[in-house]
């Protein structure tokens, strides 16, 4: 991990402490994967809403990728290559999300009096983390590592930073590829919207 430091690293006021979060490329990759996933869900939302009236019967099943859509007042369908774009983008999104979670992507840097004192004791003043290593070390960085509160915070962080985005991509892929009835599509689409929120 390459962490950058502020240009002025001299201690001018040893009674102060600065804490810096310095993101690197892995954090940006993680964010790009998340944004791509959100864009794809908006595209699926648009296609779903523009084709609701075209379903003939309630028992008819069709994958969202096969629905005709309106473009400039005319009906059109996706080609096979066009149908593959959404799952491909979702796979790239998932790869960026998982890769960004595994790679060290930010650092905690202790400066000022605390950094100076830690340096005298030979203690490292910079700690780099990936999303997963941060989740793993959360309990060990508290006064009560076995408390319910820290484990609840840890679980919440896992759910909202990893589980929800992965579930969102999974169910968006199902909505796009799997033939479903209108009722099933509507229920699944509601779930996708909740996960997106």
């Amino acid at each position: 991990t390459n962490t950058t430091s502020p240009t002025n690293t001299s201690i001018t006021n040893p009674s102060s402490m600065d804490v810096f979060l310095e993101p690197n490329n892995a954090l940006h990759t993680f964010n790009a994967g998340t944004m791509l996933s959100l864009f794809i869900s908006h595209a699926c939302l648009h296609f779903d809403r523009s084709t609701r009236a075209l379903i003939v019967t309630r028992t008819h099943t069709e994958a969202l990728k096969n629905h005709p859509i309106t473009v400039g007042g005319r009906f059109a369908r996706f080609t096979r290559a066009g149908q593959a774009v959404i799952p491909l983008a979702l796979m790239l999104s998932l790869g960026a999300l998982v890769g960004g979670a595994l790679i060290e992507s930010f650092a905690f840097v202790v400066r000022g009096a605390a950094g100076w004192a830690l340096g005298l004791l030979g203690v490292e003043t910079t700690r780099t983390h990936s999303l997963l290593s941060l989740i793993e070390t959360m309990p060990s960085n508290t006064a009560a590592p076995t408390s319910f509160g820290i484990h609840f915070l840890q679980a919440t962080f896992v759910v909202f930073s990893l589980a929800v985005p992965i579930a969102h991509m999974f169910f968006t892929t199902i909505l796009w590829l799997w033939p479903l009835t209108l009722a099933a599509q509507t229920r699944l689409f509601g779930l996708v919207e909740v996960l997106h929120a």
Side-chain angles (χ1 to χ4, degrees):
T1 301
N2 293 329
T3 56
T4 58
S5 299
T7 36
N8 181 9
T9 57
S10 62
I11 299 174
T12 56
N13 184 358
S15 65
S16 68
M17 181 172 75
D18 296 322
V19 177
F20 297 97
L21 174 63
E22 300 172 357
N24 66 16
N25 290 338
L27 184 62
H28 299 302
T29 302
F30 178 82
N31 287 336
T34 303
M35 288 186 290
L36 181 59
S37 169
L38 295 174
F39 173 77
I40 296 303
S41 68
H42 279 87
C44 286
L45 170 64
H46 168 73
F47 299 140
D48 181 73
R49 287 186 177 161
S50 68
T51 60
R52 287 266 169 214
L54 301 174
I55 304 291
V56 179
T57 65
R58 296 185 67 96
T59 57
H60 174 77
T61 62
E62 189 172 30
L64 190 57
K65 68 178 183 165
N66 295 323
H67 282 311
I69 60 169
T70 55
V71 178
R74 297 174 51 192
F75 290 113
R77 288 190 183 268
F78 285 98
T79 63
R80 287 201 186 274
Q83 291 175 356
V85 168
I86 300 291
L88 179 62
L90 285 165
M91 284 190 291
L92 289 172
S93 240
L94 180 62
L97 178 77
V98 171
L102 293 172
I103 298 168
E104 289 183 346
S105 53
F106 56 94
F108 293 108
V109 180
V110 181
R111 299 195 191 265
W116 176 74
L118 290 172
L120 288 177
L121 296 171
V123 176
E124 184 63 45
T125 59
T126 300
R127 295 176 66 191
T128 58
H129 284 285
S130 67
L131 183 68
L132 292 180
S133 73
L134 178 64
I135 291 165
E136 182 182 334
T137 60
M138 285 173 86
S140 64
N141 289 303
T142 64
T146 59
S147 71
F148 171 78
I150 190 61
H151 291 297
F152 180 76
L153 180 63
Q154 191 179 28
T156 303
F157 192 59
V158 168
V159 166
F160 288 105
S161 63
L162 286 175
V164 168
I166 290 170
H168 177 261
M169 286 183 254
F170 174 77
F171 289 117
T172 301
T173 303
I174 296 296
L175 186 63
W176 183 254
L177 295 175
W178 201 266
L180 300 167
T181 63
L182 179 59
Q185 266 187 1
T186 302
R187 285 192 300 272
L188 185 57
F189 180 70
L191 176 62
V192 168
E193 280 193 315
V194 167
L195 292 171
H196 171 70

